[in-house]
């Protein structure tokens, strides 16, 4: 059933839908609806593929919290499941000494970063929204950075494309990334692919991501992501950190 998100599509709402629906896979032509968790995923909670216990070295691991900003989190339709899971992952990470980095999507006034030919971002041109510092670009306070945790502003779907993220991670000798955020088929998928190509070890927290199409989210977590990442839930991540 469609919710208010599928109502009138102003330019800024089109962009939020594009980010929250995360550029659904080309074969999927479903209308965008509120992002939902992935309750049907069969992601293994504790063990890595092959039945081996998941092992994490906190000193060389970073938790990435991606696009958990107010304008995108609002598309969850009041379901706080993902926000709660990400906040839990943040607490566990900080306790264990895992670095926590944040990525948000925002643009400079006048949108110099946006091409009118970009199908996802072009509709925002001239809308006056998603400007850096505006309410919709601010990180949800329930998962906000602590202390001097870095916040990296991006202008594309993935976290690596036009940012200094790789340099920041290499400077801290990070070799393992734990991915959370909105949406599974957008920033999570794009960042996972780029991270794997850059030879990072990747872990996706299955309850720390969500998608506008639950079947697409489940398919990615169960069929696509495991080829390049370990997929576990937050409880499994906590156990690995304690392990």
């Amino acid at each position: 059933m469609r919710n208010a998100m599928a109502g009138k599509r102003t330019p800024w709402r089109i962009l939020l839908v594009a980010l929250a629906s995360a550029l659904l896979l080309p074969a999927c032509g479903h209308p965008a609806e509120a992002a939902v968790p992935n309750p049907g995923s069969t992601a293994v909670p504790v063990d890595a593929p092959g039945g081996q216990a998941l092992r994490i070295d906190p000193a060389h691991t970073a938790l990435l919290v991606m696009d958990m900003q107010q304008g995108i989190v609002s598309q969850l339709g009041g379901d706080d499941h993902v926000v709660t899971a990400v906040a839990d992952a943040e607490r566990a990470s900080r306790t264990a000494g895992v670095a926590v980095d944040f990525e948000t999507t925002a643009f400079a006034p006048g949108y110099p970063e946006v091409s009118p030919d970009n199908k996802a971002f072009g509709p925002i041109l001239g809308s006056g929204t998603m400007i850096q510092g505006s309410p919709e670009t601010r990180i949800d306070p329930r998962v906000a950075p602590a202390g001097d945790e870095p916040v990296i502003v991006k202008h594309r779907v993935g976290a690596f494309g036009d940012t200094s993220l790789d340099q920041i991670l290499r400077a801290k000798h990070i070799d393992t990334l734990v991915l959370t955020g909105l949406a599974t088929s957008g920033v999570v998928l794009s960042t996972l692919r780029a991270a794997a190509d850059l030879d990072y070890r990747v872990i996706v927290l299955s309850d720390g991501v969500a998608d506008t199409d639950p079947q697409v989210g489940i398919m990615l977590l169960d069929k696509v992501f495991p080829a390049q990442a370990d997929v576990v839930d937050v409880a499994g991540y906590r156990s690995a950190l304690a392990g």
Side-chain angles (χ1 to χ4, degrees):
M1 179 181 295
R2 296 189 185 189
N3 61 8
M5 182 178 172
K8 184 178 179 181
R9 301 295 178 86
T10 59
W12 69 269
R13 184 168 292 279
I14 290 173
L15 176 64
L16 293 183
V17 169
L19 288 169
S21 72
L23 304 178
L24 292 175
L25 297 179
C28 179
H30 305 305
E33 298 186 3
V36 297
N38 305 286
S41 174
T42 57
V44 180
V46 179
D47 293 342
Q52 298 180 349
L54 182 67
R55 299 187 183 279
I56 297 175
D57 179 357
H60 297 286
T61 300
L63 174 74
L64 302 189
V65 180
M66 304 180 293
D67 285 346
M68 294 293 293
Q69 57 202 73
Q70 294 183 68
I72 298 176
V73 172
S74 65
Q75 305 306 308
L76 290 170
D79 187 339
D80 293 336
H81 172 85
V82 175
V83 177
T84 300
V86 172
D88 190 5
E90 288 182 8
R91 286 190 295 270
S93 297
R94 290 169 183 138
T95 298
V98 170
V100 182
D101 291 12
F102 295 79
E103 288 72 39
T104 63
T105 302
F107 304 95
Y111 306 99
E113 311 91 348
V114 180
S115 166
D117 297 326
N118 188 304
K119 188 173 182 179
F121 296 102
I124 198 174
L125 289 170
S127 69
T129 192
M130 293 296 285
I131 299 298
Q132 188 166 349
S134 63
E136 61 267 24
T137 67
R138 296 172 189 159
I139 296 171
D140 187 295
R142 295 169 292 180
V143 293
D148 60 354
E149 291 172 344
V151 178
I152 300 170
V153 177
K154 62 188 180 68
H155 314 299
R156 293 296 182 267
V157 176
F160 282 101
D162 62 343
T163 73
S164 59
L165 177 60
D166 187 50
Q167 291 172 297
I168 291 172
L169 296 172
R170 303 289 185 194
K172 294 188 286 189
H173 305 288
I174 299 298
D175 59 25
T176 299
L177 303 181
V178 182
L179 306 186
T180 65
L182 303 172
T184 314
S185 60
V187 67
V188 180
L189 172 61
S190 294
T191 303
L192 185 158
R193 293 295 202 200
D197 282 346
L198 290 168
D199 295 325
Y200 287 98
R201 178 191 178 205
V202 183
I203 299 168
V204 178
L205 301 186
S206 59
D207 49 352
V209 299
D211 205 276
T212 56
D213 187 321
Q215 295 306 312
V216 169
I218 292 168
M219 182 270 293
L220 288 170
L221 288 167
D222 288 352
K223 304 296 185 182
V224 178
F225 289 177
Q228 293 180 296
D230 293 326
V231 181
V232 301
D233 61 14
V234 173
Y237 175 58
R238 284 199 315 267
S239 296
L241 290 175

